Amino acid sequence: MTPPPAHDMPMVVHPGYLAGPGDAPHALHTFTRGREDWTLTPVGNQLVAAHQRHPVLLTLDPDDDGPRWTMASLSHPAGLLEWHATFDARTPAEVVTAVARRLAFALAQSTDAERDRQLWGHDHPVAGTADALDAETTRAHHWTRAGDLRTTLTLDNPDGTAALRVHRFVERSGSDPLDTVFTLRAGARGHQDDWWRAEFSRCIPTAVLLAAVRTVTDPGHYERHASQIPMLHRSLLRTHPVARRRPQARP
């Protein structure tokens, strides 16, 4: 692999959710490394991480025609989709792997009851998830709230760089549990057409969705080469070169 130009130095970027997509294959390999209950397998041009005991898949697709990442849980033994989440090609890989780590933690619990508590934490998944989102965005700098759960609830980051929507919340006869209900988007102010987008179906576990939201409400520091940082976001970021360890002096 050709090294990047000398001026294209690795940078620490904050807030990470505006850092750009990063290296998706590397992020997926890092997620599965050391997790004995997950396997990573190439399937055609895709990379698929599968849990060995539960029918849960995380798929990375390099094509630009559809979602870049798909996370899905299937029922056993029928193999029907129970819930799914998708992340487009602009989504930072660390947002996806933060969600995957939270899911992996829950699936690693020793009992069904504890696993369900870690995933949902309440008895009614959809209602409890919406309440948890409202509480999280209120805690985090008081995101502005518009609409209500009878139509569409809108939660906006006051700085204009992120938004969360809760769609079609009221249960209707004939509603599909795989309908997109929750949408998280983020990007540069005034350029909403260029924002990254993550969508979550009605029965998504609360912990999984909250993990995605918290990458925005409590953003981390991500590493990127300077050339990987979107131009539209640079004025919104704090960056500094990655600190390198000094070589130890020889005795």
Side-chain angles (χ1 to χ4, degrees):
M1 180 181 294
T2 304
H7 66 273
D8 192 16
M9 63 179 62
M11 308 291 290
V12 175
V13 180
H14 186 269
Y17 69 88
L18 298 178
D23 188 337
H26 174 74
L28 186 54
H29 280 279
T30 300
F31 165 70
T32 54
R33 189 179 302 128
R35 286 187 166 88
E36 297 180 356
D37 49 355
W38 289 80
T39 58
L40 184 60
T41 307
V43 179
N45 62 346
Q46 298 177 333
L47 281 175
V48 180
H51 197 277
Q52 294 185 357
R53 297 193 308 276
H54 303 285
V56 174
L57 303 174
L58 175 58
T59 302
L60 172 62
D61 190 335
D63 292 339
D64 293 331
D65 295 338
R68 185 74 183 274
W69 299 85
T70 303
M71 183 178 293
S73 176
L74 294 85
S75 62
H76 182 77
L80 300 175
L81 273 175
E82 294 182 321
W83 57 261
H84 67 92
T86 60
F87 306 82
D88 70 11
R90 297 186 179 101
T91 308
E94 293 89 343
V95 171
V96 184
T97 54
V99 175
R101 288 195 304 272
R102 188 63 186 83
L103 176 61
F105 174 80
L107 295 179
Q109 301 306 306
S110 58
T111 66
D112 291 346
E114 180 59 20
R115 182 174 66 252
D116 289 345
R117 190 183 73 82
Q118 290 292 338
L119 286 172
W120 282 282
H122 45 74
D123 296 329
H124 192 297
V126 182
T129 299
D131 290 343
L133 294 174
D134 209 359
E136 174 61 21
T137 52
T138 298
R139 179 197 66 79
H141 309 298
H142 297 283
W143 285 33
T144 58
R145 190 180 197 273
D148 57 46
L149 296 179
R150 293 170 296 177
T151 53
T152 298
L153 174 64
T154 303
L155 298 159
D156 290 297
N157 190 334
D159 71 5
T161 64
L164 178 65
R165 304 287 185 267
V166 182
H167 309 273
R168 297 190 302 276
F169 184 80
V170 175
E171 294 288 352
R172 302 183 181 94
S173 60
S175 63
D176 189 336
L178 299 180
D179 281 348
T180 295
V181 173
F182 308 101
T183 302
L184 178 66
R185 301 172 62 243
R189 290 185 294 269
H191 296 272
Q192 281 82 349
D193 289 346
D194 296 307
W195 285 17
W196 60 260
R197 183 183 188 95
E199 297 184 337
F200 306 85
S201 67
R202 183 181 301 279
C203 294
I204 196 80
T206 305
V208 171
L209 181 52
L210 274 177
V213 172
R214 284 172 178 157
T215 65
V216 179
T217 57
D218 189 16
H221 295 73
Y222 300 162
E223 287 191 17
R224 295 289 187 271
H225 285 285
S227 63
Q228 295 177 307
I229 302 172
M231 288 296 297
L232 284 173
H233 298 177
R234 295 189 179 197
S235 64
L236 303 171
L237 299 171
R238 297 191 299 277
T239 64
H240 60 81
V242 173
R244 300 300 182 192
R245 291 182 179 179
R246 295 181 180 178
Q248 294 183 349
R250 293 183 179 181

